[in-house]
Structure formats: C-alpha cells, structure tokens
Amino acid sequence: MHVVATAGHVDHGKSSLVRSLTGTDPDRLAEEKRRGLTIDLGFAWAELPGAGSVAFVDVPGHSSFVPTMLAGVGPVPVALLVVAADGGWMPQSAEHLAALDALGVRHGLLVVTRADLADPAPALAAARAELAGTSLAGVPAVACSAVTGAGLDEVRRVLAEVLAAVPAPRAAGPVRLWVDRAFTIRGAGTVVTGTLGAGTLRTGDELDLATASGVRRARVRGLQSLEQDVASASGVARVAVNLRGVERGEVGRGDALVTPGWSVRTDVLDVRCPGAGEGPGELPGRLVVHAGSAAVPARSRPLGRDGADLLVRLRLEAPLPLVLGDRLLLRDPARHLVLGAGVVLDVRPPALRRRGAAAARVADLQGLGGEPDEASELRRRRVVRGADLRAMGVRVRTSPVAGDWHVAPGLLERAGERLAGLVAEHAAADPLRPGLPLEEARRALGLPDRALVQAAVRPPLQLVDGRVVAGAAAAQLPPRVERAVAAVLADLAGQPFAAPDAERLRELGLGRSELAAAVRAGRLERVAEGVVLAPGALRRAARALAGLPQPFTASEARRALGTSRRVALPLLEALDAARLTSRGADDRRRVLGDGGRPAPVGRPGGAEPPRE
C-alpha cells in the first residue's frame, strides 16, 4: 500500500481531486458538506493502475486548520500539492509547501486543478518557481479538471511512477503509530487510526500507548486496513486499531502507539535547525513543535550556531515519544509562520546549569546530523545502558561490559588507572582498612553502577569482600598491629580457646579497628564482639567436642575446651551458626558430621569404623 497526503490552499480542489481519483468523498462531517469546506482530516482509497492500493489523507487548506493539516501530513511520505489554475499560488500554498519542506517530504506530485476554468500554464510556472530550492523541487507536474475529467488519467499514471520510486520502509522495524483519530464502535470499544510509517502491526501485539499524561500498555484487539479486517499490516499503510482495555477518553490525536522499549518519551531535547536565520535569536521564545500528528507548545533556548545551522534546546509542555534523527516542524502560530525544521540530536540532553554550559553543549553537538550512531553516543555519554541506546533509535553492535552497560572505548582502562591511584591513597590514609569500598570507588570515578567498577579492576588490583585492594594489601597489617597479633597468637598457643580479655587487648593496643583489620587479613578469627581466637578455631573446637559423649551440655563443652563461660557460650553459638554443632530443645548439643548430619553417637568426630 501507498499513502499520499494532499496539500494546498483552501478551495483549490483538493477534496474534489481525491473524490475523482477514488470515487469516495473524503469530507465526512455534515458541516464540511454544508459549507463545502474541509475542516478535519479526510480519508479515501482506490486501486490505481501501476500503483496498487493507494490511500489518501485529505487535509484542510484554511489557515485556521494548519495544525490539523500538519497532523495529516506528518507521518506521510508522499504529497499531492494542489494549486488551482484560476487561483494560482496563494498564502496557504506557501505555508503548506514550507511545512512539507521542513518535514523533509521528497516524493510528490504537483497538480494544477480547475484547468477547465483557466489556462494552467501560469499557475504551473509560478508553482515550479516556488518549489525550487525545497525538498519537492523538480517533482513532476500535471494539469487536470475534476469536473471534466481531463488529465485525471495522467494524474493516475504519473502518481504511480512517483510511488514506484518511494523506498520501501522496513517491515521488521519498530512501530510508532501517531494517532490522528480516536472513536468508539459499539461492541468493539476504542478504535484509533493513523498512518503506519514502518514496522508491522499484528493482532494480539502489546504496545506502549504514549500520551501527554503517561505511558500505559495496550493490546491490539483487532486491526483493519482499507476497511478490511487483517491479521497484520506493514508500513506504509493506513490502519485502524481496536485497542483492548483503553477508554475513548484516554487516547486522542497526537498520542502514539509505540513498540515497547523503542523511543524516549521526553520533554527536553536538543535539535538542529538547518539554515535557521542569521543570528542566534531568530527563533521566538515560544513556538509549537509538530511531530507526527502531535502539536505541543514549547519554549526554545538557542545554544549557538554550527555553521549555517542553529542548535536549540526545546522544552516541551508535554512529552513526546521521539528518537534520534526525528524531523520536527517548528511553527509560530501567532504569525501563522512555519519557522523550519528541527532535527533531533539528543532526546536525553544534560542540564545546562553552569555558565558556559551552552557553548560547551554546542561543541558537543558539533557536526551531528541526527543519524543514530552508537559510536557517537558512547563518545558523548561515556556510559549508557544498551536498552537506553535502543530506545533512542540506535542500533547496538557492541557487547556490554557489565550487565547492560556499554562504555566508550578506553573508558574502563582509564578508570582502572585512576582506581589504582585511589586505592593507594585510601591505603595511605587508613592503613587498617587498605581496601577501597566499591561504592566509594564508584562515586570517585563518576560511574553509575558498582558493576562497572568491578569491570575496571585489573591486576594487581583485586576484589576482596566488596573492597578493591592492591595485590596482597588485604593480608598486610601495620607493623605495630602485626606485633600485637603475634602476641595474641603466642598466648593462644598453649590454650587455644582462652581468648584474651578486654584488659589484655587494651594492653596490646588492639581496639575495634585493629581487630577488624586482623580478622579481614585472616590473622585472627572473630567469635563475638571482643572475642577473637586463632584462625581455624571453630573447626578445632568442633573436633575437640566430637570426643565428648553426644549430646553434651555447655558446661561439659567449656571444660573440654579449657576456657571460660565468657568464651564458651559465644563459641558454641558460632558453632551452631556454622552448622558444626546442633542445639537441641534441652539446650544440649551434638557435633554434626559431613552434610550437617549428627555424628554417630559414641564415635568422636563421627569417624567411620575401621574397614577390613
């Protein structure tokens, strides 16, 4: 299927031409028929020789309805520009052409109508001169009369040639259907219509319904194209979509049905305005942004120039689902003036808070044309999720470095070099905690996720218990702490479960920080707050207790271990927690064998009997 939108001044015969080509009156409203004036978008279709199915979107030509006209032509790739032979080039002819040019419409047909009322040659020559220098320069032209039928066959023939040259869109691409009508059908519910520019819609699809108030999931209950029920439709096509679970008041013109995870719903964006005036103040501070079928008031902030183009920050009054490279139309409704195009360069731009931020932003955007490019986005953003790149319309080719994170080339290497210095600084400032915590490293490196810090760790750096350490630094203690720990181990050599008391620890200068460092270094084993033993103490205690008749009491355990109640009770609890012992309902315990099972009664440590 092909979709063609009309354009041209009011009362130049656009609707009559569509009616002659299709046999269907595109004017639907009673007021339109009474006044003979197109007020809203009209739709008709026909089978044209050499072109197949062609759907027409007929737009109003009156200056009061320019937003409606733009809603119709926004998503359509081909224009039928109509100029009356007896009227010639008129103000809305110029405004509609400016709109088509700003939207980048390059395929079209110039039709001079009412050739039965005046010589079409002057109107044709004037129109060709106006088209020169626009995106529609050089399009073919035909003169005709909808009343006599003269030239209509030529219109059909040339239009078929124009349509044959239009590139086919990607049927496998994502969907973004801008809604131009929404209504209710009894027994079916809410139906929306629009021009599907690319991708494929299917019944049963789940799409994001993006509105000014938010995004919600909607399911395609039914699908029609050219008034026929279909299971699927691929762009370019006119479609009517029956939505399940969406009330009529929840959707309207300017909303969009979008493939989930594709497009960014944004109200702040940076755009390039090709050839916008001669100075940075050419755009008004308030304007209207047209995208697809949407028209949203916006504030503009010129950033600076890139050659002949103006770079502008737009702040929309309502968010729109956009991707990089989208072509917007900027209009000043107060002056009834199309200001030009805005090519989307960034849908998630950084805030401009500091003096000079605008100039820095211009340097950042310099040379960008809006083509979604992964390398360019990674260079500017440094770190970004793959899902966010795809939502911006970028084709992701690289592999993530951690989770779904993609980074600019060389970033992790540079982060690793900085990390080594940060670890050394931290160790010098706090020798009892030589490892740099991951969260502290993340903040210092300006990375959004700890996983990226982990990905930046390279030998001799290593991760130990959530901290980044240099080589064997985690096992090293300051000399004075090492001497104190050696004294504790000497005390424990003869009585391995007689943990030093608080007075002894103070005498040795082992406070909470020093003990924690010794435990992290593996030089001591912590049983409870202020109770430390030699490494491997829990296993040795379990072996010693396995020699007792099972089960045993806490007192029996204390005597067997040769220690005090201060140490025995927390030691037994630590053994329970480590599943080396099991505590019964009568507070007696038994040593557990392999796999957490009780050791056989009467056999120390659960040893197996000798085998013959």
Side-chain angles (χ1 to χ4, degrees):
M1 183 195 302
H2 298 279
V3 181
V4 179
T6 63
H9 195 76
V10 62
D11 201 30
H12 274 210
K14 297 185 296 298
S15 299
S16 297
L17 178 60
V18 171
R19 185 165 50 248
S20 298
L21 293 175
T22 65
T24 301
D25 188 353
D27 288 339
R28 301 172 291 105
L29 305 179
E31 185 178 358
E32 291 178 316
K33 297 181 183 300
R34 180 177 61 82
R35 297 172 60 183
L37 176 71
T38 300
I39 297 172
D40 203 355
L41 300 178
F43 309 96
W45 67 277
E47 295 289 330
L48 295 187
S53 298
V54 180
F56 292 88
V57 180
D58 187 37
V59 306
H62 196 280
S63 60
S64 299
F65 305 118
V66 170
T68 302
M69 174 266 179
L70 294 174
V73 302
V76 178
V78 182
L80 199 64
L81 183 61
V82 176
V83 179
D86 60 337
W89 194 257
M90 298 291 281
Q92 293 316 119
S93 306
E95 187 167 12
H96 285 200
L97 174 60
L100 296 171
D101 183 44
L103 292 171
V105 177
R106 300 185 178 281
H107 302 276
L109 174 63
L110 170 63
V111 179
V112 177
T113 56
R114 300 185 180 181
D116 57 316
L117 299 180
D119 179 4
L124 178 60
R128 284 195 181 280
E130 295 289 344
L131 265 61
T134 73
S135 61
L136 291 174
V139 298
V142 179
C144 72
S145 168
V147 174
T148 67
L152 289 178
D153 286 342
E154 183 70 0
V155 171
R156 294 184 180 95
R157 184 188 67 78
V158 178
L159 181 58
E161 293 176 355
V162 170
L163 295 176
V166 177
R170 289 187 304 163
V175 165
R176 181 174 49 180
L177 178 71
W178 293 99
V179 175
D180 52 38
R181 287 177 64 207
F183 50 90
T184 301
I185 295 179
R186 180 172 296 184
T190 301
V191 175
V192 301
T193 68
T195 299
L196 180 63
T200 299
L201 270 176
R202 300 176 178 84
T203 55
D205 280 355
E206 284 196 347
L207 301 170
D208 283 343
L209 174 59
T211 69
S213 59
V215 177
R216 56 168 299 184
R217 196 57 57 90
R219 183 182 290 274
V220 178
R221 180 181 181 181
L223 197 58
Q224 278 196 351
S225 184
L226 303 183
E227 301 178 357
Q228 298 294 316
D229 290 335
V230 294
S232 65
S234 298
V236 174
R238 284 294 302 175
V239 293
V241 187
N242 182 197
L243 298 176
R244 186 186 301 277
V246 177
E247 298 297 326
R248 168 63 187 88
E250 296 175 323
V251 61
R253 178 174 291 171
D255 297 335
L257 289 169
V258 184
T259 297
W262 187 80
S263 83
V264 175
R265 185 172 172 271
T266 180
D267 59 359
V268 180
L269 55 149
D270 288 343
V271 301
R272 175 182 295 276
C273 300
E278 299 178 355
E282 287 296 320
L283 288 182
R286 294 191 63 84
L287 45 79
V288 174
V289 173
H290 295 264
S293 62
V296 178
R299 290 186 178 275
S300 70
R301 176 181 174 178
L303 301 173
R305 305 198 72 84
D306 183 12
D309 300 343
L310 186 63
L311 301 176
V312 180
R313 169 70 54 91
L314 294 177
R315 190 171 296 275
L316 311 179
E317 288 190 4
L320 292 173
L322 301 173
V323 296
L324 302 180
D326 272 343
R327 197 172 179 95
L328 312 177
L329 185 144
L330 309 181
R331 183 170 176 267
D332 183 353
R335 295 185 289 168
H336 300 285
L337 180 65
V338 172
L339 301 169
V343 180
V344 176
L345 302 182
D346 199 337
V347 289
R348 284 181 172 157
L352 302 175
R353 294 193 177 96
R354 297 190 301 272
R355 177 175 296 184
R361 186 64 179 152
V362 169
D364 205 26
L365 299 174
Q366 205 120 30
L368 294 183
E371 298 82 6
D373 176 67
E374 182 184 12
S376 172
E377 293 305 309
L378 289 179
R379 175 183 59 79
R380 291 190 300 119
R381 299 178 188 278
R382 298 177 61 249
V383 182
V384 61
R385 293 186 189 275
D388 291 336
L389 285 172
R390 285 182 283 272
M392 295 176 202
V394 177
R395 186 175 180 183
V396 179
R397 301 176 184 274
T398 63
S399 299
V401 297
D404 191 33
W405 292 107
H406 295 250
V407 302
L411 183 139
L412 283 185
E413 290 73 10
R414 292 190 296 274
E417 294 170 0
R418 284 193 59 204
L419 187 58
L422 292 170
V423 169
E425 291 172 8
H426 187 274
D430 190 356
L432 292 178
R433 298 177 65 85
L436 180 64
L438 274 176
E439 177 59 21
E440 190 174 331
R442 183 198 68 76
R443 290 196 300 267
L445 294 172
L447 296 174
D449 195 318
R450 296 181 190 179
L452 292 165
V453 180
Q454 293 176 286
V457 172
R458 300 285 190 276
L461 299 182
Q462 57 181 300
L463 281 172
V464 179
D465 296 331
R467 304 172 76 86
V468 186
V469 298
Q476 296 175 353
L477 295 172
R480 68 172 184 85
V481 179
E482 183 63 48
R483 288 192 296 270
V485 170
V488 170
L489 295 176
D491 292 346
L492 294 170
Q495 293 179 294
F497 304 108
D501 58 18
E503 184 178 347
R504 176 60 173 160
L505 292 175
R506 278 196 302 272
E507 176 189 325
L508 295 172
L510 292 175
R512 180 177 296 179
S513 298
E514 288 79 6
L515 289 175
V519 170
R520 283 196 303 272
R523 301 285 283 123
L524 293 175
E525 186 165 337
R526 183 183 183 276
V527 176
E529 184 67 32
V531 179
V532 292
L533 297 172
L538 289 185
R539 291 285 177 182
R540 286 195 296 274
R543 287 196 295 270
L545 295 176
L548 294 175
Q550 308 288 312
F552 53 86
T553 67
S555 294
E556 289 169 339
R558 179 182 60 77
R559 290 192 295 269
L561 296 174
T563 189
S564 65
R565 184 179 179 84
R566 175 183 70 86
V567 177
L569 293 181
L571 181 56
L572 288 172
E573 291 178 359
L575 289 168
D576 293 342
R579 292 189 58 78
L580 294 173
T581 58
S582 174
R583 183 177 182 179
D586 59 355
D587 283 343
R588 291 173 174 264
R589 289 175 170 81
R590 64 175 64 247
V591 175
L592 296 178
D594 294 339
R597 295 185 299 273
V601 177
R603 293 196 182 274
E608 294 183 1
R611 296 181 179 177
E612 295 183 359

